[in-house]
Amino acid sequence: QDIDDVGHKYYLELVLEDVLDKDSTVNCTAEVLYHLGNNNIAPDVQVSLEGELKNTDEADNIFYHRIKSLEKELVAENIPDSYGNVPPEMEPIHLLAWVASGYVIWQNSTENTEFHLAQIKHVKQVKRSDEYLEFDYMILLHEMVSQEIIPWQMTVLWHPQHGVQVTQDSRQPKHASE
Amino acid sequence: DQVFHIVPETFQQVQHLQHLCSTLLLDLWKPQLPEDIQAGEDLHIRVPAPLVQEVKDSLDHHMISYKVLVPNVQELVNQSMPKERNSHRQVPEGYVYTQYHPMEEIYQWMTQIQKSNSELVTQHYLGETVENRTMYYLQISQPSDKNKKIIWMDCGIHAREWISPAFCQWFVKEILQNYKSDPKISRFLQNLDLYVLPVLNIDGYIYSWEKDRLWRKNRSPHMNGTCYGTDLNRNFNSSWGSVGVSYNCSSEIFCGSGPESEPETRAVAQFIERRKSDILCYLTIHSYGQYILTPYGSTTKPPSNSEELMHVAEKAAAALMGKYGTSYEVGPTSLILYSNSGSSRDWAHMIGIPFSYTFELRDKGVHGFLLPSYQIQPTCEETM
């Protein structure tokens, strides 16, 4: 829908599929408004779910306590590796990056872009004195139209009850990941 | 992975090393157990690659001197098992199609495949890459008096799309293993010849194995060697340089200094141009996205045989979905993806090849270019 002087609005019907359980799906609808002219504003998004998302408390708590009890801060690179493999203990770190990159992608999307998370180049856990877990990620985003691979730094906070937050993110110059 | 040789000098150093081994779960080669680490005695530890820097920093920080005994454990492993590696090379029955292979192995595979299937397969010279590597294609052709039409398929025009060359290899294997037993395939080969180019962008493919996994273009130098690579799929002479490209070398969609400026493009174009009256179908395999794309990318004006093109593509997508439920979108690039000019598929159609398709294989972005090897088999099976 073209809205004069405002922008373009899209009406979507989506099906959410649980990554860990392909048979578990939830329908949802969304409205996305891309603002006219200014590409520096993120599109407005409204979503409504028809149903409930699965409860993940148990898995969240197991991951949370595992990381909390590490003697040394977690460090990892190249997730997935060149062959597409992710070691099982890195899977939650991978999923966390996925969610967080969704935020970064949303903030930087226009009608002419299509971003996907290509790879985590590097991730480092940052020690915190409070309850939150903090990870400093260097990710690679793949943009379909230009085919570019864009390195992006993001700082991610997570807590089982408080969810995911991206506290800082910045696009990096092309050779930053090497 | 590296192996470090350390001789701890003090009890404090011993304690620190024991701590390091147990928290990082390092692989102790000598002695067997952390509790047996002693001052004045040899210590050999294998450190996984991602932890090497961290361990070095920790040793430096605690003033513990070390030597790197084995700088590359994988190399050592490979060297110590020459028989196993050779068996991959000699016997195609030993070739693992469910794993990704570096270019050297693909070259060897081509030679082997021709050797063990010489009644059907011949390897031919196509041309050379920027870095002077030889491009070969395989011709699968059943001897007959008929003048058969040709189906051409090329893979690996974009370096990072590893599933594409994997598919070409799988395809050849499937045809050769089943042409006698499968009536569909044998009928196919009675009437058609198959020409398969397993890796078009050889230099780029090698570069993605050795230096940058997400490299896309070829390796032609520009601006005095300060910038590399032309997007081969923007370099063909089909509305070259008009839309969906960049004239800047640093872009991933740099179309080159002119149409067919790249030797790889010329090698393919010259061959196809010469044989075009016999070529029925041009297929080019990419990833990712799960699309079967029809001409054109450079314009939304439909090709002359667009109905037929779509009909065949839709049947293909349905057959593909029948295997594992994977859904592929079908349509012209300019409508369902984005505009681009200079693509090989557009060019093939423009010079008169009636059926010209780009396949974008799995997946839809979850793994993208880094498709795990366990997906090679299902991807290839459904695409067959």
Side-chain angles (χ1 to χ4, degrees):
Chain A
Q1 184 196 16
D2 288 345
I3 306 177
D4 286 339
D5 297 335
V6 179
H8 299 145
K9 199 172 203 186
Y10 292 81
Y11 297 86
L12 307 168
E13 283 171 18
L14 317 165
V15 179
L16 296 181
E17 185 185 83
D18 189 337
V19 171
L20 305 169
D21 174 13
K22 302 280 172 179
D23 295 326
S24 172
T25 62
V26 176
N27 292 335
C28 63
T29 57
E31 286 177 17
V32 179
L33 173 63
Y34 290 101
H35 295 274
L36 210 59
N38 197 339
N39 277 342
N40 289 329
I41 308 178
D44 286 346
V45 179
Q46 307 264 33
V47 185
S48 37
L49 281 95
E50 292 155 28
E52 273 176 22
L53 296 176
K54 233 169 39 166
N55 183 298
T56 56
D57 289 351
E58 202 188 317
D60 287 348
N61 285 320
I62 293 176
F63 172 60
Y64 181 73
H65 286 112
R66 176 159 74 86
I67 302 295
K68 271 286 180 193
S69 60
L70 288 178
E71 288 249 8
K72 261 246 135 148
E73 284 81 43
L74 182 146
V75 173
E77 302 188 319
N78 292 336
I79 299 170
D81 65 17
S82 288
Y83 308 99
N85 298 314
V86 178
E89 67 275 13
M90 284 299 154
E91 193 54 38
I93 298 286
H94 185 214
L95 294 171
L96 183 61
W98 218 349
V99 176
S101 67
Y103 170 79
V104 172
I105 290 171
W106 167 40
Q107 293 294 302
N108 291 279
S109 287
T110 70
E111 267 175 294
N112 300 310
T113 60
E114 183 184 328
F115 287 100
H116 294 271
L117 174 65
Q119 193 184 41
I120 299 167
K121 213 50 198 150
H122 187 84
V123 57
K124 195 166 86 161
Q125 181 187 0
V126 177
K127 205 170 189 164
R128 282 183 78 88
S129 46
D130 61 17
E131 295 285 276
Y132 283 83
L133 297 184
E134 181 177 333
F135 297 95
D136 185 17
Y137 282 94
M138 179 66 80
I139 58 173
L140 296 177
L141 292 179
H142 170 230
E143 202 287 295
M144 272 291 190
V145 180
S146 63
Q147 284 297 320
E148 294 295 331
I149 301 291
I150 308 168
W152 212 290
Q153 179 273 332
M154 57 182 194
T155 306
V156 182
L157 247 49
W158 180 73
H159 184 278
Q161 273 85 59
H162 304 137
V164 182
Q165 235 188 309
V166 176
T167 54
Q168 192 212 334
D169 72 273
S170 63
R171 185 179 175 136
Q172 302 294 304
K174 213 168 177 186
H175 298 285
S177 58
E178 282 153 42
Chain B
D1 294 4
Q2 297 189 344
V3 179
F4 288 67
H5 174 215
I6 301 165
V7 184
E9 289 160 34
T10 68
F11 184 55
Q12 256 183 328
Q13 288 188 355
V14 169
Q15 276 194 314
H16 176 71
L17 289 162
Q18 284 171 338
H19 179 81
L20 206 63
C21 285
S22 38
T23 42
L24 295 180
L25 298 176
L26 298 178
D27 182 13
L28 259 183
W29 283 16
K30 180 181 174 166
Q32 302 278 24
L33 301 167
E35 40 264 57
D36 297 330
I37 299 178
Q38 282 172 37
E41 296 290 336
D42 279 359
L43 175 64
H44 296 170
I45 329 172
R46 179 183 68 85
V47 180
L51 296 176
V52 165
Q53 195 52 52
E54 189 181 330
V55 169
K56 283 185 173 169
D57 290 345
S58 175
L59 295 174
D60 289 341
H61 186 71
H62 286 83
M63 317 259 271
I64 301 177
S65 58
Y66 60 90
K67 276 214 186 84
V68 177
L69 197 61
V70 179
N72 187 337
V73 177
Q74 188 56 50
E75 237 182 78
L76 204 62
V77 170
N78 294 345
Q79 281 164 22
S80 62
M81 293 196 294
K83 283 211 187 102
E84 229 207 78
R85 299 221 90 206
N86 279 338
S87 71
H88 279 188
R89 294 168 191 180
Q90 253 119 44
V91 185
E93 287 80 51
Y95 195 78
V96 185
Y97 290 90
T98 51
Q99 268 176 33
Y100 295 113
H101 291 272
M103 197 60 215
E104 210 189 283
E105 287 175 17
I106 299 180
Y107 273 126
Q108 281 154 0
W109 169 81
M110 277 195 273
T111 311
Q112 248 328 108
I113 279 283
Q114 181 187 254
K115 248 203 215 156
S116 15
N117 299 277
S118 49
E119 73 284 6
L120 219 51
V121 182
T122 42
Q123 181 179 343
H124 299 267
Y125 173 88
L126 189 69
E128 276 176 22
T129 65
V130 171
E131 293 176 345
N132 288 320
R133 293 193 177 89
T134 313
M135 297 167 70
Y136 294 110
Y137 68 91
L138 294 172
Q139 178 181 349
I140 303 175
S141 186
Q142 206 154 40
S144 111
D145 316 320
K146 275 198 237 182
N147 181 19
K148 285 175 270 155
K149 289 291 183 190
I150 298 169
I151 298 191
W152 167 278
M153 180 167 72
D154 60 63
C155 292
I157 194 174
H158 288 141
R160 58 196 181 200
E161 299 167 7
W162 285 13
I163 186 64
S164 166
F167 174 71
C168 266
Q169 291 163 69
W170 182 283
F171 180 85
V172 169
K173 173 226 4 151
E174 276 295 303
I175 299 284
L176 296 176
Q177 262 176 15
N178 300 308
Y179 76 96
K180 286 189 184 139
S181 52
D182 186 327
K184 265 202 218 151
I185 301 183
S186 76
R187 215 182 102 206
F188 208 77
L189 288 180
Q190 275 162 33
N191 298 303
L192 295 159
D193 285 347
L194 296 167
Y195 287 46
V196 179
L197 173 57
V199 184
L200 199 160
N201 179 6
I202 298 173
D203 299 342
Y205 186 69
I206 293 176
Y207 194 77
S208 75
W209 270 79
E210 295 179 353
K211 294 272 161 49
D212 182 355
R213 175 60 176 86
L214 296 175
W215 189 259
R216 170 185 166 87
K217 306 180 286 178
N218 77 345
R219 292 295 299 166
S220 59
H222 297 270
M223 311 209 296
N224 265 328
T226 56
C227 177
Y228 285 84
T230 298
D231 184 343
L232 295 173
N233 204 33
R234 301 285 187 279
N235 190 238
F236 282 78
N237 196 7
S238 44
S239 311
W240 178 87
S242 57
V243 67
V245 296
S246 166
Y247 306 112
N248 194 326
C249 170
S250 44
S251 163
E252 296 282 16
I253 49 179
F254 174 53
C255 53
S257 50
E260 294 185 16
S261 58
E262 307 306 303
E264 295 93 345
T265 312
R266 281 197 303 273
V268 175
Q270 274 161 20
F271 179 83
I272 296 193
E273 175 74 53
R274 248 189 311 133
R275 313 288 301 270
K276 67 180 177 195
S277 48
D278 286 327
I279 302 180
L280 180 64
C281 178
Y282 173 83
L283 296 171
T284 178
I285 312 294
H286 294 238
S287 80
Y288 56 92
Q290 292 172 202
Y291 300 104
I292 299 178
L293 299 168
T294 59
Y296 296 106
S298 49
T299 166
T300 48
K301 181 174 136 223
S304 47
N305 61 338
S306 111
E307 254 177 56
E308 218 188 347
L309 271 172
M310 283 297 291
H311 181 70
V312 172
E314 263 151 20
K315 282 200 121 184
L320 202 156
M321 188 166 197
K323 188 84 184 172
Y324 294 114
T326 309
S327 68
Y328 269 60
E329 244 181 282
V330 175
T333 302
S334 52
L335 289 180
I336 67 174
L337 204 54
Y338 44 62
S339 297
N340 71 334
S341 58
S343 73
S344 63
R345 176 216 52 237
D346 281 1
W347 175 80
H349 193 270
M350 284 177 181
I351 62 162
I353 295 171
F355 293 98
S356 185
Y357 297 101
T358 305
F359 271 72
E360 296 275 357
L361 300 178
R362 289 195 191 181
D363 57 16
K364 293 209 64 87
V366 170
H367 294 97
F369 301 118
L370 306 180
L371 195 68
S373 27
Y374 70 81
Q375 286 208 34
I376 296 180
Q377 182 163 344
T379 305
C380 293
E381 282 180 344
E382 70 194 4
T383 314
M384 288 303 299

